Amino acid sequence: MLPQFTGQRSSILAGVATLVLVFSSICSTVKAADSSAAELTTTGPTSDWPQFHGPAGIGTVEGNLPSEWTANDYAWTVSLSGTDIGSPVIVDGVIYLIETAPLNSDSQQLQTIRNRANKSIDLVAFDLATGNELWRRKHPLVDRGRHSRNSAASTTPVVSGDQVFFVYCDAEGVYVQAYGTDSTPHWTRELGPWTGVHGYGTSPMVVQDKLVLFNAQQAVKLDANQVPGQSRVLAMDKKTGEDIWSTPLETTRPSYGVPAVHPFIKPGDDPANPSLELIMANTGNGIFSLDADTGKMRWSIKVFDKRSCSSPLVVTGLPGGDLAIGTCGSGGGGNMLSAVRIPASAGDQPQEAFQVRRAAPYVPTSAVKGQYLFAVSDSGIATCYDLNEDGRLCWNQRLGGNFGASPIIVGDRLLMISLDGTAFITSATATRSKIQRMDLGGRVGATPAYADGRLVIRVGDQLRCLAQ
């Protein structure tokens, strides 16, 4: 019998919405700043925030975060074109994000290329220190229907070396765009039509020389005018955009997670230089692994019966073996979290270690610090779990509100922001402590980013930077 946590005490391994890779060395303990001061300082090596939910997707970086701040504490605030939910990334002092913008007199070429275009998806670069716009690249958008909480610019760019990549989808299909960090166009891929009732939301990631996209589609419970799609994982040469491999998956409902990376040993591998596997989650295949070199399915375990919006967490260095944690659910409830032991060798099979079936997460991505997982459910319950003890609940606290943005940890502070723009800050420890709350004054659907001592938040139609 699997351990099952069904009461309010285990309310959620909240919203693991990003398959998260955790190496134990990443999550070192950092002392926080004075809780009463609205200031941010780094306390060790700075880290970029190159993809959704930060380095390796774990949502945890070194630094200091105040327990509260006011509008006067922002270093700068800039206006955006809309209230999109795509999250920012930060590399080498530059913020990259995408936004929906109107077509204007400078967009005649876009209209010529695609006559049906009625909006533009813009990749925008801002200076982290000043908020000044550095450059902007526009892309024609033929808008389509989507869930009311989704937006046309709902994905997060990824930066690798001197390249920045992003993906978007409109009524005509899915597009992958590659630019230099100096705004030079590198390549474009058109992946063809995409089917999904709630709209697109999948962000790319980079492993080795590959840009990887989990292009999941819908084949069941379609609207009357939709045709079934085909889910697949694509690995493209990040320099040219050409396919390296493409792996079809069992297609049911779209999944929006960013793959995580986990090391494994192939025959002939140098243990100091292991091969890599990509661990993902969807409804049809459950939690599964693909060889990053070939795209071959290594293992899978069917644990889900609903949509998997989150990305599985991968947590290494645990006494019982490495864990892959994923969730499934729906807007109507029935959410569930599954934790799976990752096979340690080629002859092993994945085994489900424990489940959370009551008040489990659906959208937000959890953050990990050491052996502890910090989560917030869509319905506003914050939790801390000890992964050394099969997900034993350390504490939970009802915050109230609804959540879509993912929690992050800066130093030893946990930041959670609800959809209505209420920020909650507490200590990222195994003991429950006081939770501070602030009204940011606008809706928040995007996950914040932190780098070089600066917190960047997308609030309503503004981008804000909190710094020393």
Side-chain angles (χ1 to χ4, degrees):
M1 176 72 68
L2 294 173
Q4 292 192 11
F5 303 97
T6 57
Q8 184 175 346
R9 283 182 53 80
S10 64
S11 51
I12 328 151
L13 264 176
V16 184
T18 325
L19 225 162
V20 176
L21 170 65
V22 178
F23 294 107
S24 58
S25 62
I26 291 176
C27 299
S28 58
T29 302
V30 183
K31 291 185 178 180
D34 184 290
S35 63
S36 64
E39 62 180 32
L40 292 168
T41 58
T42 54
T43 59
T46 60
S47 176
D48 291 328
W49 192 276
Q51 68 173 65
F52 175 74
H53 212 223
I58 67 170
T60 300
V61 292
E62 295 184 2
N64 282 331
L65 186 70
S67 62
E68 56 186 342
W69 63 85
T70 70
N72 293 330
D73 294 312
Y74 291 115
W76 51 260
T77 297
V78 299
S79 296
L80 301 173
S81 296
T83 58
D84 294 295
I85 63 172
S87 302
V89 296
I90 309 169
V91 173
D92 292 337
V94 178
I95 304 165
Y96 303 90
L97 58 76
I98 64 172
E99 66 170 348
T100 311
L103 288 172
N104 53 39
S105 59
D106 297 325
S107 306
Q108 294 302 316
Q109 184 178 5
L110 298 184
Q111 292 175 308
T112 300
I113 294 172
R114 294 169 66 198
N115 291 329
R116 295 178 59 209
N118 49 18
K119 293 181 181 179
S120 172
I121 291 285
D122 293 3
L123 173 64
V124 193
F126 297 93
D127 183 81
L128 176 62
T130 65
N132 292 336
E133 183 175 312
L134 301 176
W135 54 263
R136 177 182 295 263
R137 286 289 183 173
K138 302 182 77 67
H139 310 83
L141 174 73
V142 182
D143 210 358
R144 59 177 293 159
R146 64 186 64 85
H147 192 279
S148 60
R149 279 175 48 182
N150 203 350
S151 68
S154 60
T155 67
T156 301
V158 60
V159 181
S160 176
D162 62 354
Q163 289 185 286
V164 55
F165 309 90
F166 80 97
V167 180
Y168 76 99
C169 176
D170 69 4
E172 296 187 352
V174 176
Y175 301 86
V176 186
Q177 305 285 348
Y179 287 92
T181 52
D182 62 357
S183 83
T184 304
H186 283 191
W187 52 264
T188 298
R189 284 285 305 272
E190 298 183 13
L191 303 184
W194 182 86
T195 298
V197 173
H198 288 174
Y200 203 72
T202 304
S203 302
M205 56 86 70
V206 172
V207 58
Q208 299 166 326
D209 60 346
K210 306 171 188 69
L211 180 73
V212 177
L213 179 67
F214 186 7
N215 193 36
Q217 302 199 44
Q218 191 154 338
V220 299
K221 297 186 177 180
L222 297 168
D223 288 343
N225 61 340
Q226 292 184 314
V227 297
Q230 172 61 60
S231 296
R232 63 180 60 248
V233 181
L234 301 169
M236 295 161 273
D237 186 310
K238 69 177 187 177
K239 294 299 183 184
T240 67
E242 296 178 352
D243 281 351
I244 296 176
W245 50 259
S246 175
T247 301
L249 301 173
E250 185 173 335
T251 305
T252 56
R253 298 174 177 88
S255 299
Y256 300 113
V258 178
V261 181
H262 182 260
F264 76 101
I265 303 297
K266 286 182 184 178
D269 274 355
D270 179 354
N273 187 28
S275 297
L276 300 176
E277 61 183 337
L278 300 171
I279 297 181
M280 293 167 252
N282 70 1
T283 310
N285 300 91
I287 295 177
F288 62 97
S289 161
L290 302 182
D291 187 318
D293 288 332
T294 65
K296 181 180 178 181
M297 182 79 72
R298 296 196 66 245
W299 54 263
S300 66
I301 178 170
K302 293 192 174 186
V303 289
F304 298 137
D305 60 358
K306 292 179 177 62
R307 183 191 310 273
S308 180
C309 282
S310 68
S311 310
L313 279 162
V314 173
V315 187
T316 67
L318 300 174
D322 298 348
L323 279 179
I325 304 171
T327 67
C328 73
S330 72
N335 303 346
M336 185 269 279
L337 177 141
S338 173
V340 172
R341 294 288 176 195
I342 299 172
S345 62
D348 294 341
Q349 295 298 316
Q351 300 292 329
E352 192 170 38
F354 64 88
Q355 297 178 352
V356 173
R357 282 196 168 271
R358 188 165 186 174
Y362 183 37
V363 174
T365 301
S366 297
V368 175
K369 185 178 177 63
Q371 70 196 61
Y372 299 105
L373 179 131
F374 297 88
V376 62
S377 72
D378 305 56
S379 57
I381 301 174
T383 49
C384 171
Y385 293 89
D386 188 340
L387 298 178
N388 274 350
E389 299 183 28
D390 282 340
R392 178 183 64 83
L393 179 68
C394 298
W395 58 262
N396 63 2
Q397 178 68 51
R398 182 175 292 279
L399 306 177
N402 296 298
F403 286 74
S406 301
I408 67 170
I409 296 172
V410 179
D412 65 357
R413 293 198 184 280
L414 171 66
L415 171 64
M416 304 162 284
I417 308 178
S418 67
L419 288 170
D420 68 3
T422 303
F424 301 85
I425 301 177
T426 190
S427 296
T429 64
T431 303
R432 183 167 63 182
S433 59
K434 182 179 179 180
I435 297 178
Q436 298 279 7
R437 65 180 64 201
M438 297 172 292
D439 182 2
L440 300 183
R443 291 183 62 80
V444 175
T447 297
Y450 181 96
D452 297 332
R454 292 173 179 259
L455 179 72
V456 175
I457 314 174
R458 196 169 190 165
V459 181
D461 61 356
Q462 295 181 336
L463 188 67
R464 304 178 186 176
C465 176
L466 184 66
Q468 292 178 324

